[in-house]
Amino acid sequence: MNAPALPHGYPFRFVDAVVQDRNADFSRGTVSLRVTANGRAAMGECWGSTLLLAEAIAQSALLLEGGDAELGRKGFLAGLDAMELTRRPRAGETLLVEVRLAGQFGAMAKFHGHVKSGDETLARGSILVRKGD
């Protein structure tokens, strides 16, 4: 992954690399992230909040879309839908974030995400983002 591709930097950048590029209709794509004990989101054994998993889904969607940093700075996470959060990620885990585009209307886009650690689901649900223009 090209480090400057996302508008996020430390301490608020969670995603690390594209594992599976999105396909033509963005019905699939996968990103990985490594949870570290010294990362600002954790500052110890676990992430401070499960809600940060929604942000990880949003960052994954942006990275899979091409990671346009300027466009990303103008957009924002606008909502959550049917978000199920089971537990906080722990230091040492590598998470896979599967993302697909669920729908789009103008500058608004809805993505469905599924965050897993191994075979365990940590979060799943949809995010609504307003893309910058």
Side-chain angles (χ1 to χ4, degrees), residues 58-130:
Q59 288 183 21
S60 297
L62 179 61
L63 182 61
L64 288 165
E65 281 197 312
D68 184 329
E70 284 305 312
L71 187 62
R73 282 185 191 90
K74 296 175 185 173
F76 55 88
L77 179 61
L80 306 176
D81 184 31
M83 189 63 65
E84 299 173 29
L85 306 165
T86 58
R87 73 166 174 84
R88 298 178 295 165
R90 293 186 286 268
E93 287 185 300
T94 297
L95 307 182
L96 291 179
V97 185
E98 299 168 353
V99 179
R100 69 177 171 82
L101 179 64
Q104 191 166 307
F105 184 74
M108 300 301 290
K110 185 176 186 177
F111 294 94
H112 181 73
H114 188 172
V115 182
K116 298 191 305 188
S117 175
D119 291 332
E120 180 184 7
T121 295
L122 275 65
R124 81 172 87 217
S126 297
I127 59 162
L128 185 63
V129 295
R130 186 195 184 287

Side-chain angles (χ1 to χ4, degrees), residues 21-35:
D21 282 325
R22 71 180 190 152
N23 57 358
D25 63 354
F26 206 155
S27 62
R28 65 172 158 66
T30 306
V31 171
S32 68
L33 67 101
R34 180 90 171 138
V35 180

